[in-house]
Amino acid sequence: NAGVTQTPKFQVLKTGQSMTLQCAQDMNHEYMSWYRQDPGMGLRLIHYSVGAGITDQGEVPNGYNVSRSTTEDFPLRLLSAAPSQTSVYFCASSYSSQDNQPQHFGDGTRLSIL
Amino acid sequence: GESVGLHLPTLSVQEGDNSIINCAYSNSASDYFIWYKQESGKGPQFIIDIRSNMDKRQGQRVTVLLNKTVKHLSLQIAATQPGDSAVYFCAENTEAAGNKLTFGGGTRVLVKP
């Protein structure tokens, strides 16, 4: 198993551009989520999904969209990039959304907005 | 609970000594806690978890202690090694909230040879 795979690893955007961060997991995990991590801080939840076709907002959803058309993939879209969205983005998954389960993380996408 | 800040607290430890990393959480309803290790340029890596019906859990070289009375969580690393140098995060969750974790601000551990 590759685990949680995120692409790209690095990206630089101009203000106003749009882009999709990809996340895929091959563990047949039900639950997937997106976090952002800013310098010296913990991770903050952007959006999450408890299964294919179901998504919901986390703590900091503004400026981001998600979809979950398959169990494996959970892309994160920036509609109109802003400098405040410069961050490291992590995707995570866990087997179940019903029981408390440890989440498994990808290695992140480092995004800079100029 | 969630802490906010630009500068991570740092724990400097001599190689071979034991490390203790502390975390205070704010939600008394939290019933599940996880410790993650994050190395530079990598995503958080699961270390150990504990549910609120326990006060201690041991893994390989690691022990997590939970004190619900004072809402405190700690991670003990035995015989700290250079490979243990990383940032450590605690995270909390309530089963009622599904799998939405709330992360603490992290502690940097530096192991001195």
Side-chain angles (χ1 to χ4, degrees), chain B residues 2-109:
Chain B
E2 184 175 343
S3 62
V4 177
L6 293 176
H7 302 288
L8 288 174
T10 299
L11 176 67
S12 291
V13 183
Q14 200 69 38
E15 181 178 357
D17 287 351
N18 297 336
S19 303
I20 300 177
I21 307 164
N22 296 303
C23 178
Y25 64 94
S26 56
N27 187 352
S28 57
S30 292
D31 51 19
Y32 180 60
F33 305 88
I34 308 178
W35 279 101
Y36 284 96
K37 172 187 180 183
Q38 187 176 25
E39 296 173 287
S40 181
K42 299 276 191 178
Q45 177 186 3
F46 170 78
I47 302 173
I48 192 168
D49 58 1
I50 187 168
R51 300 182 192 278
S52 59
N53 60 354
M54 303 173 69
D55 53 21
K56 180 179 180 179
R57 191 166 187 221
Q58 288 185 291
Q60 186 177 11
R61 279 200 310 118
V62 294
T63 301
V64 55
L65 299 177
L66 175 62
N67 185 331
K68 294 181 288 293
T69 302
V70 295
K71 291 185 284 189
H72 184 267
L73 190 69
S74 68
L75 177 71
Q76 300 177 4
I77 305 173
T80 311
Q81 303 169 358
D84 294 327
S85 292
V87 177
Y88 291 79
F89 292 96
C90 64
E92 61 184 292
N93 188 25
T94 59
E95 189 164 356
N99 223 341
K100 291 185 287 183
L101 294 174
T102 299
F103 281 81
T107 297
R108 187 181 307 279
V109 172

Side-chain angles (χ1 to χ4, degrees), chain A residues 6-114:
Chain A
Q6 291 185 239
T7 56
K9 294 190 186 305
F10 302 93
Q11 184 70 50
V12 179
L13 293 177
K14 293 181 180 178
T15 298
Q17 286 185 312
S18 62
M19 124 157 247
T20 299
L21 279 61
Q22 302 292 344
C23 176
Q25 52 90 10
D26 61 358
M27 299 173 283
N28 200 32
H29 281 176
E30 191 174 79
Y31 183 91
M32 296 185 75
S33 54
W34 276 101
Y35 295 84
R36 61 177 288 172
Q37 184 176 35
D38 298 301
M41 298 178 70
L43 285 78
R44 292 183 292 168
L45 182 65
I46 305 172
H47 285 285
Y48 66 99
S49 168
V50 300
I54 306 169
T55 64
D56 209 341
Q57 295 181 348
E59 179 187 355
V60 287
N62 292 341
Y64 308 95
N65 275 359
V66 291
S67 60
R68 184 95 180 271
S69 56
T70 66
T71 299
E72 294 79 18
D73 299 297
F74 190 44
L76 178 72
R77 296 183 188 85
L78 279 70
L79 307 173
S80 178
S84 61
Q85 294 178 303
T86 293
S87 189
V88 183
Y89 291 86
F90 290 100
C91 179
S93 72
S94 62
Y95 180 73
S96 169
S97 61
Q98 297 301 312
D99 302 315
N100 285 321
Q101 297 276 334
Q103 294 186 33
H104 301 272
F105 286 80
D107 281 337
T109 293
R110 284 143 188 84
L111 184 61
S112 294
I113 315 296
L114 304 177

